[in-house]
Amino acid sequence: MTRRHAKLRGAAFLGGRGVCWRALACAWVCAGAITASGAIAMAAPSYSTVVRAGGGPPQPVAQALDAESASAVAGSGGDAVVAAQGLTGVARPTPGATGLVMWGAQASESAVLYEGMELPALYHQGGFRATTGAALVGRIEVVPAAFSVAHGRSIGGLVRVDGRGFPAAENALTLDASTLDVGLAAHTTSPTLSLAAAARVSDLQATYGTFAPAATTALFPVPRYADAQAEVSRVFAGGGKLRLLGLWSHDEVTKIFGAPAPGLGPRQEHLRLSWWRVGLIYGERRDDDGLASLMYVGGEQSSDERRFSATPTLRDESALSVGAHLRYRVDLTSALQTTVGLELLLQRGLYRQTGSATVPAREGDVGTFAQSPGDDINADRWVVRGGNVAAYALAAWRGGGWTLSPGLRLDAFPVDGDRSVPSVGHTPQVGYARLWWALDPRVALIYRPRPGLVLRAAGGIYHRAADAGDRSAVFGAPALAPARALHLVLGGWCDLAGAASLDVDAFFRAMDGLPRRSTLPAPLLGEALVARGAGRAFGVSATLRRELALGVRGWATYTLSRSERALSDGGWRLFDGDQTHVLTVVAARGWGDWSLSGRARYATGTPRTPVVGAFLDARDQRAEPLFGVQNGARLPAFWAVDARVDRRFVAARWRLTVSLDVENVTGHRNAEEIVYAQDFSSSGYLTGPPLLVLFGVRLEV
Amino acid sequence: MSRRAMRGCARLAPLVATAALTAACQPTLVDEPWRVRGPRVVAVRATPPEASPGTEVMLEAVGLSPGPAGSADPASNTGWSVCRRPKPLAESRVVDPACLFDPVDQVGNPVKVTLPADGCALFGPDPAQPAPGEPPTRPRDPDATGGFYQPITVQWGDEPTVALVRISCDLPQASGAVAREFRARYSANQSPVIADLALQVGDGSLASPWELPPGTSATLTLTPDPFSAEAFPVFDPLAGVLVDQREALAVSWWITGGTLSFDARDPADASTVLWRAPDEAGTVEIVAVLRDSRGGQDVRRSMVVVR
């Protein structure tokens, strides 16, 4: 079987014997083990990885999930992108997290793409739902590290969300209602034209918000969110496809904390984020070979307002971005394929901040939960124009069971701003302009010595420009250089006896040039942040997939890792999101119109800096903590068991699915934060929900 | 709040059966920051409350101890150290914690302390002149009232206390005209004044000396002098102009016995609190601290005999 025969057209099902978790890698290399199918027929969640594999060389350590299968995973709440939280190498998200921590890189160091368009957040506030919606999502791919030169602007991992394809000549309307939100989706297709749209809005205020006491919502506030997606696509006679995509997302949440001391008002934090993207995608051929292009524009607005006693803090951001990605892929010979591409992202942002320089919190900040920010305040308003222009070339040579994919990416990171130092009186402000270059070589080597065994190694250099929001002359540093990372991965996949497969990867990631706060007692002007942070992460991830007796299928993922950040004195401390052990076990079974799934999770508690004493601030009449070793303690380990049951009722013209998704069925009280008495004389754990019950109804007409 | 939260969670539990979401819950903590559990300094009075660097201020520590009244007043054994270490910009607390362990400069109470002459360079907006070829350093940020403070550590009792004395410095980032206008309009802070501290049982105020039966509930009311809240100009760095502000007054309480309850409807107003006397006979000391937003304080110390 040639590679081109094995290449999957449209949706393909990797199932049965020879299931490969690293789907994309296997789709390319273990072609003989793949069963291809043109349609997804899901009577029950199979947990097999379903991909729409592109024609290019694979991401060596990618994991891809089919949305329809993933949405039936226990704990996903019916949102496929949420199921990605249980993939190998992904740390258990902290409550309310809007991104994924992958192999020791914080969420903001990774990139989130929807059909190639960069998104500011993967999840809505609360972490229950994806900002991309669920109705039009077809596939989620998570690459924790070592991705190819076709992607940049990330020193962590990569999350790719792709739209789904709809069967030809179909009209459908779907109403989705749950205790989280209400959504409506519709699509209509013809052989050449397809229209699809979806929208959903949270109803948590009417469900959870009605009953939740305000005092319990500090860690789990009631978020308000909404999102909408639309897609128009046209297929041309030559096989080319043109797609027009639109995405919109809105989030709003208010966190209420107690008073820091008697006589002071309660602390409040109000967050708001809205963003949109409109993109035009053209693919010359359906299998992603030939010319593929993407152009998009987008905007985002966010605000973070905190009222912590006498220190109000406000941060507003408003940005417009234009992106483009042009790629051409061609088989030069039967054994050699080349890909060249150009990528462009330009952004213009207007930022305003008043308040403490310690807001917003950054990785490495030492503090307690809901601690008031510093009482010294300042203000700044700054404009930043910047972005990234990149060119890359990627080759893939195959022969004798070997696949070698070397690539080279040249990045330019231009930036200019209106203020290089804080303004003083009527002195004319002095702007700045910088240009950084980066050359990133990356390589992936995959070897298949025999059927059922794949060995792989990958690595490379990665760069990521500093956030424009960090380029304040007062609160940040206008001249922050891009951060850099080295990724190394060594692993393999093997087909075990008994319908099982095992995937193992050892990884190492080193990062430098990370923006961190200046630790100097007197920082230089315009250098409240310095690009001198460094980090390292290493460990092993493993995935075991097995078909059990009685038709039960399941997988188990385990990651052993350690992630550290450099201290200013040369030592190392634990990364704020470090989790030594992360274990997830998923099992599922279907009976006709019923499907059952269960999930068990275990994760080491994240690090915390212990409070070892206190002193009194006599001016404010408030106790302040004395800290021990930074990240010298951990929260207790997290564990939970989740269950989900779906029942489908099918008639000639409609289909109704009723689901019940219960997280933490044992009611175990997992510690999520440490809270202290106002004088720090005692402490306790703020625990997560004892039980999270999500009831959903989905009607498809 | 913690107990209320727990009760809220208990109310919420039945909702699980109706397929609603259940909430996270806070632990039950004994949250009594006003209780004096061991000898400690609870307030520091500075006279004057705002001074120029290099000048002298009188500092008096007010201490309390849960033992017999007046048994452990901070006096000759009170240590004072003047901090000369600015806190890093990333530090959320009011002082670099290393200053808490500085060697003692003076012993006694009250003491006269000379503020460091370079206070506005260390803790204010006047960064030291850079060496030739070196870039300038970042001026320190003021607090919400435009003030800069000299930290002074007080060592007495179980926990260290940090006093912050407001120092008069120039405006950062302001034009010459605005700086001149500021100098003309700004008046150094004056400490607020407690006009009255009353203990009420039922409708009647108790006459001094206060005496109560054990377990009695009484209302403590602090009345500030009406002229305590002064007006002053603050520089707005974004607009580049001076903005008039008026001081906010706040009240704190410290007790050696009994229990305090704050008005849940307006927790930010602690001028009136409910005090329940201890069930055992004895003497209870109460310290009320009235403070303004520019760091000035007045302290009233009272004794209640419970029998």
Side-chain angles (χ1 to χ4, degrees), chain A residues 460-478:
Chain A
I461 306 291
Y462 299 79
H463 281 84
R464 182 181 186 279
D467 291 334
D470 284 344
R471 297 195 184 278
S472 162
V474 174
F475 298 105

Side-chain angles (χ1 to χ4, degrees), chain A residues 524-525 527, chain B residues 128-137:
Chain A
L524 300 181
L525 202 60
E527 290 192 16
Chain B
Q129 283 298 316
E134 291 289 316
T137 52

Side-chain angles (χ1 to χ4, degrees), chain A residues 204 211 216 220 262-263 376-378 425 474 517 521 523 525 616 618-619 621 625 627 678-679 685-687 691-692, chain B residues 12 15-16 21-22 24 26 31 33 37 42 90 93 136 138 140-142 149 160 162 173 252 254 262 268 291 297:
Chain A
L204 273 164
F211 307 107
T216 64
F220 290 93
D376 24 16
I377 63 169
N378 210 321
V474 174
R517 298 191 193 279
L525 202 60
L616 178 71
R619 180 193 61 181
Q621 292 285 292
F627 294 106
Q678 292 174 11
D679 58 359
Y685 292 118
L686 191 61
T687 56
L691 201 63
L692 196 61
Chain B
L12 204 63
L15 294 174
V16 175
L21 295 162
T22 54
Q26 297 206 11
D31 220 347
R37 296 189 173 86
V42 298
R93 294 166 290 186
R138 185 185 192 278
R140 311 235 157 246
D141 296 336
Y149 297 86
V162 172
Q173 300 170 288
S252 306
W254 298 89
F262 293 81
R291 59 188 197 277
Q297 290 190 344

Side-chain angles (χ1 to χ4, degrees), chain B residues 101-146:
Chain B
F101 309 102
D102 280 346
V104 169
D105 297 325
Q106 288 185 67
V107 175
N109 190 35
V111 293
K112 276 188 175 174
V113 171
T114 303
L115 301 176
D118 56 355
C120 288
L122 290 172
F123 303 101
D126 306 332
Q129 283 298 316
E134 291 289 316
T137 52
R138 185 185 192 278
R140 311 235 157 246
D141 296 336
D143 74 350
T145 67

